[in-house]
Amino acid sequence: MGAKKLMVLDGNSIVNRAFYGIRLLTTRDGTPTNGVYGFLTILSKLLAEEAPDAVCVCFDLPAPTFRHEQFEAYKAQRKAMPEELSVQMPILKSVLDAMNIPRYELAGWEADDLIGTISAKCEAEGWDCVIVTGDKDSLQLVSDRTHVRHVKSRMGQTESVEYTPERFQEEYGFEPVKMIDLKALMGDSSDNIPGVSGIGEKTALELIRRFGTIDDIYSSLDSLDIRDSVKAKLANGSEAARMSYKLATICRDVPMEFHPSDNLRREIDNDALYALFQKLEFQRLTEKFGLKPPADGAEPLVQRAESTAKAVMTAADAADMEAALIAAPWVAVSADAMLQTAAVYDSCSGTAYILQRGKTVDFDSVLRRVMGAGVKKAGHDIKDMMRRLLELGIPSEGWIFDTALAAYLLSPTDGSYKLSKLAERCCGLSVDSDEDENGQLSLLDDAEAPSRLHSEAVAIAALKEALEPKLAESGMDKLFNEIELPLCAVLADMEQAGFYIDKKALKEFGDALSVKIGMLEKAIYELAGEAFNINSTKQLGTVLFDKLMLPAPKKTKTGYSTNIEVLEYLRGKHPIIELLIEYRELTKLKSTYADGLMKVISDDGRIHTSFQMTVTATGRLSSTEPNLQNIPVRKEVGGELRKMFVAGDGNVLVDVDYSQIELRLLAHIAHDEAMLQAFVSGEDIHTVTASQVFGIPPGDVTPVHRSRAKAVNFGIVYGISAFSLAQDIGVSVQEAKAYIQSYFAKYAGVNRYMHDIVAQAKKDGFVTTLLGRRRYLPELKSSNFNVRSFGERAARNTPMQGTAADIIKLAMVNTYRRFKREGLSARLILQVHDELIAECPEHEADNVKRILIEEMENAVTLSVPLTVEAHIGKSWFDAK
């Protein structure tokens, strides 16, 4: 049997690597968590890889150590720990305590000294020791029994190198203990160890490799075969070298009580760690560590609900159920993906009614009555269920709550709103669910389906009770009830309707692209002087930079970069570049759109996209499978795609698009007199801005002036920097900066708003739209400039972007209801941010156009008019 192994982590070093290697993460209340999250991710990975018998963590204390007494300037240049990290240190230690992982810290000593002592004690007792650190100080401790795992985090990815005596010798060319001598000569800027002035790492490495220790070097300094200048530096720095040696030496006999066996791995404290992870909102780590809610956390809900399942089999069962459901204030509903099984839970009686196709008599009829307006219902992701019901020909009404939508409004940047995780976090309720990673319920056709759906329905009921008051407290209940919830029916209908595609034209378009791509390939090969794989970064890099000798960007470990930014930089330097850029555009058009869209055309000849309601932080809808909001429009060849999206036989498309809605909202929200006047008087805002920014009469504004002013106008809404504006409009950064400064000088109200909204957001921790939607911005508290700048941009632009999203959603709800109220056959079929498209019979076109204009322009009342552009056509291209 081999020796036992202890793994000791350098706590401060690893949490630092984690903190700077992962983007800032925070809880809803703004508590930073990325350092703790990254530390635990690294720890979990290493525990799996090393499988140690024992584990512990060492930390530094803020008190001075013996090294500060030896050298007052020791670590004097180090910046104080960022506040976002310092607040995580006690959290991390609490987590380690809950994991039953011993931790060591001792006043007057550094974590390195504790680690050195621990490794010495392990060796003395016949244990192997693995040191985990992000610093190289501990490399001096490497021996046959002690190895060092040096951890690095880059862009959220963690990698480590294990140093054994052999690995160290191979890299450095001398024994590990001489790492102390190396630092004595070259110093260490991170710890402010001076070393010998003028001796850098390269020279220090050569000296240690050739002559050994600093004692060896200084004992025969006069006879050493080295340059006189180096010899002089060594002579002048002898005292500094010996002091640096002492500072760099890790103490291995710290007076601490330590026995390796005291650190044997123990079971985690499930209840304590679960509670901490819930508070820190570590849902994935909760799963990874296999944590479960405390038994007494879920029990009261189950007992209070007194939940029992009742199978609905006969007509009499169905009648009893319907009477109970209609009498109940509301019920919770969960169903499988194919609507073969459903659970309807009445929290008042504690009864969950189970409907199953093949077991419930007249299943479709019973389901239709349950889904009718007479039964008030709550669900999770109800839009998806409503679409499935529509596909079965069953209308769906009576919905009063959606737990996924409520959770999204309360915390719009969570990214995932899985029912099981929400129930655990918000209610302490363990749910026997079968959701995928996106929280969608999967097909449940097995014998456990009734119990699973029963469990989910109970969770939905508990979540409604937990989340509904929070919506009211945050002032978002009106937004929820008047926009988000009714929008579910609208989107379900749009998804079910789909957008008709001219399949023949799409195939011809793809074939034409193939011909053009083939011609481009031939031309590229001729210019390159050889055939090669154009899609291979390595082969393309070789052709461009080695063969054609074009100015190369910095070469990475994997070779030259040939991304679009590099190609744009090279534009004009060789004819092959323009061909490569066009080749990339056309191959993307073919693979993503021509071929990609062909694969998703349904049997009815239509593409049925899915609208996602809980993805963006601003409230905008997104489209997936496929993404119809991302169809190219600016490129001429891309615009051809819109000709393939057509109305069905006898129908036309009505396309209505808000005109400059975000700029109009900016004028309204900022109360900027100059901008308000321009919109109220009906002037062209970009011409007005050009006149203001460039100091010329409106009549002298050229298309170039207007184009640049337009870029400034929209750039301001999105918080553009002078650098980005310069790139967009092709001017110098200094010129772009002057444009922005001139803009703010002329639009003083906008300038004031941009300042005030950030200050208010820092005070409140969030910003709101005109209709009450909140976006929390913990980034504003960050000491990291880039993170904080992102928060400031989001604070400035979210009120406009979010309000625009709210307005078009409200217009969609009102238009949908009006179509139905007026008995029209028209249906909304697509929303692309500020644009709505409806399909209708030709004889309804003018009426539908009028309704869309009225509902979109009058969705809200502002201090400036909301205006739209509306067109009718047989294809999306024609109607646009």
Side-chain angles (χ1 to χ4, degrees), residues 433-455:
S433 183
D434 192 18
E435 299 170 294
D436 64 19
E437 281 301 309
N438 296 316
Q440 303 298 315
L441 300 180
S442 62
L443 177 61
L444 305 177
D445 57 0
D446 57 279
E448 296 180 358
S451 64
R452 291 179 181 175
L453 295 171
H454 176 183
S455 176

Side-chain angles (χ1 to χ4, degrees), residues 274 291-293 298 302 307 334-336 341 343 354 418-424 428-436 439-444 446-460 463:
Y274 178 87
L291 302 176
K292 299 296 180 184
V302 177
S307 173
S334 184
D336 70 292
T341 306
I354 307 299
K418 292 176 67 174
L419 174 60
S420 57
K421 299 309 161 192
L422 287 174
E424 286 183 14
L429 185 62
S430 181
V431 179
D432 182 15
S433 183
D434 192 18
E435 299 170 294
D436 64 19
Q440 303 298 315
L441 300 180
S442 62
L443 177 61
L444 305 177
D446 57 279
E448 296 180 358
S451 64
R452 291 179 181 175
L453 295 171
H454 176 183
S455 176
E456 288 163 2
V458 171
I460 290 168
L463 278 168

Side-chain angles (χ1 to χ4, degrees), residues 233-246:
K233 290 173 183 177
L234 288 170
N236 293 332
S238 62
E239 186 176 339
R242 297 190 187 282
M243 181 183 67
S244 297
Y245 186 91
K246 291 180 181 179

Side-chain angles (χ1 to χ4, degrees), residues 262-281:
D262 292 341
N263 301 272
L264 289 169
R265 294 173 66 178
R266 290 172 284 171
E267 283 191 18
I268 60 177
D269 184 335
N270 176 84
D271 294 0
L273 192 58
Y274 178 87
L276 276 169
F277 278 10
Q278 294 306 296
K279 187 176 181 181
L280 296 171
E281 299 168 15

